[in-house]
Amino acid sequence: RVFNFKVVKEFPHDPAAFTQGLQDILWESTGMNGRSTVREVELKSGKVLRSKKLPKEDFGEGVTRHGDRLYQITWMSPRTWSYAVSDFDDVQQLETPLADGWGITSDGTHLVVGDSSERLTWVDPAAGMKRVRQVAVKDAGTPVPWLNELEFVEGLVWANIWHTDCIAQIDPESGEVVGWVLLGSLRRRAEDAAAADASAAGKRAQPLDREAVLNGIAYDAEQQRLFLTGKLWPRIYQVELQEVEGAQGVANLQRARQHCIMRGNMQAGR
């Protein structure tokens, strides 16, 4: 299945936030050494209600809520920080089996973590982050690497593909990609919002940074609302998906497989 999207609402977002994870609408992880944080954010206003900085050697990556705790992984490290939802000062340090942390989500029983490869790994936080199982993500037999921010949505693992405008919808049992969400015009919308904000402030508009890529998925299961953002984006977008069928759907699937599945080696930079 292939999906386009429609923006139904937009909300302000800290344009200095190098967003590495978005969870349950209100929880956010930001990256960059010396600037990484875990945050509680008010959706309507974009106001940061509370924030805790990571040690300067840590580069924050994905964040997820699991029970009454948040779990935040770090880049180029197995280190994972766990916080009580009610108190960021109630913090524990854990380690995943991965040498590099990119995305993290929860299926309600275990945590699901990724390391930029095509592999997703299930770990048990109640057993010291012990590995439970692992699957390789593929689309019609082709490995799909560079899985970044993760979110569990209606029984599927959704994954931003790093440095693309694509989200893969993944069957957690088989690892098979069962859908693609194509979001090419959303970054352009964020560019326009940044220019409008600069103009309103009497400043010269600057293009978004090359690293200001799509990288934030939050799903409100209770109200079935989907929110997307990116690194350094000035907005969070609530979107509805629109399935593309027929001949156009076939064409879009071919385009997704060409654009969303990156082959060969890329120099990973965050």
Side-chain angles (χ1 to χ4, degrees):
R1 303 175 71 184
V2 185
F3 300 89
N4 287 332
F5 69 97
K6 176 178 72 173
V7 173
V8 294
K9 285 185 181 179
E10 58 182 68
F11 304 89
H13 179 244
D14 179 2
F18 199 79
T19 302
Q20 296 291 81
L22 202 64
Q23 168 70 27
D24 279 357
I25 307 169
L26 294 177
W27 311 111
E28 183 173 18
S29 169
T30 69
M32 306 297 284
N33 293 100
R35 291 170 45 194
S36 294
T37 65
V38 60
R39 300 176 171 187
E40 181 182 3
V41 179
E42 183 178 71
L43 177 66
K44 185 176 180 180
S45 67
K47 180 181 178 182
V48 178
L49 302 178
R50 56 190 169 119
S51 176
K52 186 177 183 66
K53 291 192 69 172
L54 274 64
K56 63 181 180 181
E57 64 269 20
D58 280 348
F59 192 122
E61 282 284 343
V63 68
T64 194
R65 180 172 179 170
H66 183 80
D68 60 358
R69 299 195 68 85
L70 300 177
Y71 292 85
Q72 181 184 28
I73 59 174
T74 58
W75 183 48
M76 298 293 287
S77 166
R79 190 159 44 249
T80 302
W81 296 102
S82 173
Y83 314 89
V85 167
S86 59
D87 182 3
F88 286 174
D89 289 328
D90 179 356
V91 59
Q92 301 170 4
Q93 182 178 329
L94 306 166
E95 289 192 355
T96 72
L98 308 181
D100 187 7
W102 281 46
I104 185 169
T105 188
S106 169
D107 66 5
T109 302
H110 299 111
L111 298 174
V112 187
V113 294
D115 62 358
S116 83
S117 72
E118 71 275 17
R119 295 179 299 276
L120 293 176
T121 302
W122 274 252
V123 300
D124 186 353
M129 307 295 270
K130 180 181 178 180
R131 187 196 312 262
V132 175
R133 67 185 185 93
Q134 191 174 69
V135 300
V137 176
K138 296 183 179 181
D139 180 345
T142 300
V144 181
W146 303 109
L147 305 174
N148 205 354
E149 151 78 339
L150 306 175
E151 180 79 346
F152 206 79
V153 180
E154 301 293 335
L156 299 176
V157 178
W158 288 28
N160 281 129
I161 309 300
W162 183 61
H163 265 271
T164 75
D165 300 311
C166 309
I167 292 175
Q169 300 174 331
I170 303 160
D171 182 326
E173 296 303 318
S174 66
E176 187 69 22
V177 174
V178 296
W180 287 105
V181 184
L182 304 179
L183 296 150
S185 63
L186 198 59
R187 189 183 190 278
R188 292 194 293 274
R189 188 170 180 133
E191 290 261 18
D192 292 343
D197 290 349
S199 177
K203 299 178 180 179
R204 182 177 178 181
Q206 299 290 336
L208 288 180
D209 188 277
R210 178 180 178 274
E211 293 297 326
V213 294
L214 183 75
N215 199 47
I217 311 169
Y219 184 64
D220 174 13
E222 186 174 321
Q223 299 186 53
Q224 295 184 315
R225 296 185 299 170
L226 175 65
F227 300 88
L228 304 174
T229 193
K231 303 175 185 180
L232 309 174
W233 284 20
R235 301 288 188 274
I236 291 175
Y237 297 100
Q238 180 183 343
V239 306
E240 292 178 354
L241 300 191
Q242 302 170 321
E243 186 169 3
V244 183
E245 299 179 300
Q248 188 60 54
V250 173
N252 281 16
L253 177 58
Q254 292 175 340
R255 183 162 62 89
R257 286 172 167 163
Q258 292 171 353
H259 174 64
C260 304
I261 303 174
M262 295 192 287
R263 297 165 175 84
N265 294 320
M266 290 182 63
Q267 182 64 39
R270 311 301 297 130

